[in-house]
Amino acid sequence: CFIDSPGTGANSEHDNRYIRYYKELVSVADCIVWVLQANVRADTGWQRMILQLRDHVKKDCNIIFCINQVDKLGCDAMERWPEGSTPDAKILKSLDDRCREVLCRAREVCLMPTSGAVLPCSVVRNYNLDCLYQMIFDKAYFH
């Protein structure tokens, strides 16, 4: 069963309204895909939400942080990334830096000591979507 829950961080009133729902979901989930926007550096919002949820996350739950919209990361090289092409070395470094940053921040709130993954994606560029689908399938089905 896949559930697309309301997003977090955009509105604290909505976050407060949905917190019980989020806690219930994470307590039974085999896999959580937490989607972050690549071009938003306000990591404290999702960290704060994770701090509220971490004690409710099911033991051995797999967590994937999907850094979405990497085509909007803000790097000059991103503007030269042609649709359908493979990112060049400069773009890959920028993506890797953002993934490491997210992994570090996730570890700060003790959510991902070993069982998680961080994956950069772009729907517009059709980048890493097949990897994301496979990760979701593997982590949920073979849990």
Side-chain angles (χ1 to χ4, degrees):
C1 177
F2 290 89
I3 299 170
D4 182 10
S5 68
T8 66
N11 182 316
S12 59
E13 183 181 321
H14 287 129
D15 288 351
N16 292 334
R17 186 175 343 147
Y18 288 120
I19 191 70
R20 281 194 316 252
Y21 177 64
Y22 299 143
K23 287 177 181 178
E24 182 182 325
L25 287 178
V26 301
S27 71
V28 297
D30 292 321
C31 180
I32 297 169
V33 180
W34 198 289
V35 180
L36 304 171
Q37 289 183 321
N39 60 341
V40 176
R41 295 292 186 180
D43 290 337
T44 57
W46 63 264
Q47 282 185 295
R48 193 171 25 256
M49 181 57 73
I50 287 171
L51 284 169
Q52 293 179 60
L53 297 175
R54 71 177 177 189
D55 293 336
H56 301 275
V57 174
K58 179 178 159 184
K59 184 176 169 38
D60 296 327
C61 176
N62 289 296
I63 298 161
I64 302 168
F65 280 90
C66 173
I67 304 174
N68 193 24
Q69 298 178 336
V70 295
D71 50 291
K72 296 181 180 180
L73 199 52
C75 167
D76 289 338
M78 292 293 186
E79 295 170 10
R80 297 187 305 274
W81 180 6
E83 263 186 74
S85 70
T86 305
D88 64 21
K90 189 173 182 180
I91 293 170
L92 289 173
K93 171 145 180 22
S94 190
L95 298 177
D96 188 53
D97 289 348
R98 182 62 174 139
C99 287
R100 269 196 301 243
E101 181 182 9
V102 167
L103 181 61
C104 180
R105 299 223 187 275
R107 286 185 172 151
E108 286 174 5
V109 292
C110 304
L111 188 62
M112 288 178 55
T114 58
S115 65
V118 180
L119 185 68
C121 293
S122 171
V123 172
V124 171
R125 301 281 191 239
N126 194 24
Y127 179 69
N128 267 352
L129 297 180
D130 53 343
C131 293
L132 176 62
Y133 301 145
Q134 189 64 52
M135 287 176 82
I136 292 168
F137 178 78
D138 291 346
K139 290 183 179 293
Y141 187 76
F142 295 112
H143 186 75

